[in-house]
Every structure is written in structure tokens, then in C-alpha cells.
Amino acid sequence: MDNTNASGLQAQVSRLEHEVHALRTQIHASDDETITISEYILTRLEQMGVESIFGVPGDFNMPFLDYVEDHPKIKWIGCCNELNASHAADGYSRVKEHGIGVIVTTFGVGELIAMNGVAGAFSEMVPVLHIVGVPSTLQQKQKPILHHTLGDGRFDAYTKAAAQTTIAQAAIVDKVTAGPEIDRVLAQAITTARPVYLTLPMDLVSTKISAKRLKVELPRSPPPNDSEVEAFVLDEIVKLVEAADQDVVILTDACVIRHHVRQEVNDLIHKTHFPVYSSPMGKTSVNENYERYGGVYVGLNSHPKIKEKVENAKLILSIGSLKSDFNTGMFTYSVPASRTVELHSGHTLIRHAQFPGIGMKKLLPKLTERLHKFEEDAKQLPLPQYKALIPDEKDDIISQAYFWPRMGQFFKPKDVIVAETGTSSFGILDVELPEDSIFVAQILFGSIGWSVGTTLGAAVAARERHLGRTILFVGDGSLQVTAQELSTMTAKGVHPILFVLNNNGYVIERHLHGMDRDYNNIVDWNYTSLLTTFGDKDGSRSRSYTVHNKKELNDLLEDETFAKADKIQLVEVMMDRYDAPRALKASAQLSEAMAKRIAEQDPEA
């Protein structure tokens, strides 16, 4: 049973338990309070901590949007297009944590545009609710040649497409099943950390249904592990730790964040003192200022000290791993199964044996209790310290090698740091981020321009959570894909700092293929005029800068007004078109080597 199937089974168990509880509540409740289907959805979302919903109006969803706009606690964030709105919902969900991002689109034309962003959320395990306003139930039965359809009567075509990028789908078709169906998909989103899809017909928007189910909270935690199997798993892990003479390394990854086990992992590392490392997608899953944190392990792309320590450990305790290409240094992890224990949301792997249904949320506290006795010996294990230092460069050019460790000095605790796919997500890997900061990057799905809409959602969520600054690093090419969402940031009064790396094109693509090809070039924009073009007409709500050299960069970063981030700010950073971070260059070389091996194995090549 793979991780997805195990998580799905857990979600089904939680859903059935919730359904039984809800039915008992309805049977015993004496009141007959009713509520519209729209109000039911919004009440559920409010219960889940949602304070903002993203999307674009369209004729099939506007009746529902009336309810959203009139809601006393949930705000409507209208975006420039559905793609950006889906990215914003993704970013909101990542930063909000324990909640869910929500996007509302219209039938067909709107939902298809959003599908790329929803697919990215599925790939990276981010819970998002996609609500689609659809034609009336009568129109869906009669199948007229309606606008936004394919013109062939297939009104279910888009739902079928959505099934490929969401974990669960529900079509509201009547007042009897509306409440249970809404609860079903929301429970799936929470327990599996994946997007879900919900259609709301125009004629049912104001239909009244019972409000009794709302008295029963949706399940949030996974069901308990089988006690007998769990006890065996714990015994086996302890035996491996003892056999390793406590030479154990903890490796944290994306699912520590997605499945909300940060606290459990934090308890484990502090009560055992085993050295801890993270993957790129697991960055900020643990406090990077912690004395036993060693850095980011990414296979052959790792710093030599990190690579040596992780790969020579007698036992790797891997938590929430996601072994994608960029997350593992193009599959160059050197941590064999014979020396590895893997904890996942829906199963546990001990060397070559798999234990389905034994999830890490319930297992970790018990494992911490069992491993606490090794603390004193583990403290003696050496931990080579690696920190990204600012190089002593004689020229004044802003190099990638200089820029990222210098930015590390600018960050503060509780900052939300967003890195675009490519140069930025590679450049920041070696930089130690402050305590309680949140790192947001789309390393697996890698949709160009994703970070701009995501920054909108992240900044809104950061404001709601009273976190620190939201800081975006994006290349000039990526920004051009989704730049119009800067206007929504300005309109909604969020104050991200946007560092635009101007290196005249797609640097990551240059290093992967076509260093001097024209297709990797872009048109040079006047980036410092974007904020005034996109909404801040009189320039009172924004500031823009261009830094050409190290001195200008340092002067700006040391400016208290700039660092305070009381307005939206854009910084154009002038960089060499061929320069790239160390990790990106290494990854490109590994990618090229992999392509060569594949070509040599292909008899048709």
C-alpha cells in the first residue's frame, strides 16, 4: 500500500466516524434551524480558520460571491486571473497551516485556468478547496449548448478533468446530500493534505438545508494506529538505534510541514539530541538556529561536510520524505534502505519492511519517549557546522554567491520567505533561516511564475497570523508570467518586499539547456514602474529601487525604513545573465549527466 492509498484509507475512516457523529447529533437535536447551502459552506470554512477567499467573478459563481462578500468575517480577495488566484490559495494554505486555502471560479473557462495551480497544490500536498459555480441543475439535465461548455452536451467534462488533480470531488445536486457532500470533501482535504473540488449550481446557492451538522466539527487528526503493530514498530526502531551505537541522523522533509508534525519532531530532536538535517522541501520544518541542526541534505548537491555526516551515519531516521528529483539532488541520495527508517503520514518503513496504517502523527510522541534515554550519548556525537558565509569578493558586482548569504543577514524571526522556482529556490538552500520563519517554494511541481500569486496569499495569511514580513525572491522571467497580481497586493494593503533578480532571462533554463539560445531571453521591462502601473498611481503606497552593486544593496538592506516594510516594495537587483547559485549549477550538471545516461540506454537514440 503506497502513502497516498494509506492516507486515503485513513481519511475514509475519519469521514465515516464523523458521519456517524453527525447523524447522532441530528437525531438528538431538538431545533430545526436552517441555513442556505452557501452559508453552510462559509460557516464550515470559518470553523477551519479561513478568513480570506481568492478568485475571479463569473456569471455562474456570482450569486455565491454575494454571500462571500456579505460575510462578516471572511474577506473576498478578487484576483486578476484564476491562475494567480489558485497560486494565492496555495500560498495562503501553506502559511496559514492547519487550515485550508480556498479559490472560487466559474464553470469551464475559469476552472480550467485555475487547474494548473490546483495541480501544483496536489503535487506538493497543499489542502485547497476549489469551489466552482456551475449552471443550474435543470440546465445540467437538459444539456443545452450553453456558453463556457464544449458545445457537445458534456457538462461533466470539467469535473472529470478535475478528478486528475484533486483528491476528492463533490457535485451539490440537492438539499438532502449537500451538507454531507460538503463535509466529505473538506474532511478529505484536511486529512490527506490535498486539494478538493466542489461544484455549486446557481439554483441551489440560496437553498435552505439543516444547520445541525455544523455542530459536529470536521475530523482533523488521523485515526489511532493499531496498538499491537505500533508497539512492534517501536521495538524494532529502538533495536536499530541501539545497534547503531546511537550514531543516528534525523532527516526531515516536506510532509513534516504538510501533515503538521512540526511540534512532534521538535520534541524528538530536543529530547534525543540526534543531529538533524532537512531536505530542500523540508526547509524550516525545524528551527535552523538549533544547535544540533546541520543544514540541508540534497544528495550530491550537498555541501561536502553535510554529505559526509548524513551518508556515513549508521542509521537515518527519515521523517516525511518526498523523494523527487530536485529534492534529492537528481536522485543522488545515498541513504540505503538497510540503514533507514522512514516515517510517513500513512505508513512506516523499517529497512525493507512496510507497515501500512502506522502514521507518524501518533507514532512520534511514543518514539520520542522511547528514544529519550539516548540523549546523553547522542549529545557527544560530533556535528560539523556549516554556514553560508559572505565571500570576500574584490569586485562590486552582485554575484549569486554574495547575494544569498548577505540576504541571510537581513531576515528576521517570523519572516515568510517565498522563493520562485529556479534560481531563487536553489540560491537560498544554503542560507540559515531565522527561528519561526516560514520558507515557501514549489520545488516539486515547479510552475514558472507560481511565486507571485503565492506571495499574495502568503502575505494575507501572514497578516492574519500576525507573523513578520513577507519577502519574495523572483526572477525577471518568472515575474513576467504573473506580474499583474502586484495590483491585488497593492489594493489589499499587504506589504511584501519583492526582490526581482534581473539577469535578462531564464537563468535556470540556460544552465539546463541552451545557454545562449534566444528562447531563454526575455524583453527587459521597467520593473521599478510596475507598482505605480499596477494600482499605486500616485506612488503613496509603494516604494521601488534598483541596486546595481554591492554597496547599493548593502545601503538599502541597512536602511531602517526599508527593513520596516510598512509599504509594498520592489527591489530590482541587477545580476550577470550567466551567474547561478552553486546548487543550481550542480543540479544542472547532474541533470545533464542523467539525460546522457538515458540517451545511451535508449536503443532508438
Side-chain angles (χ1 to χ4, degrees), residues 113 161 300 384:
I113 297 172
L300 284 175

Side-chain angles (χ1 to χ4, degrees), residues 35 39-40 43-44 47 211-217:
I35 191 172
E39 290 167 336
Y40 188 98
T43 302
R44 271 298 187 214
Q47 290 174 347
K212 294 176 182 177
R213 294 179 60 91
L214 293 171
K215 296 179 180 180
V216 181
E217 291 188 9

Side-chain angles (χ1 to χ4, degrees), residues 144-146 148-154 158:
I145 302 178
L146 201 64
H148 297 344
T149 69
L150 298 172
D152 60 0
R154 289 185 295 140
Y158 309 129

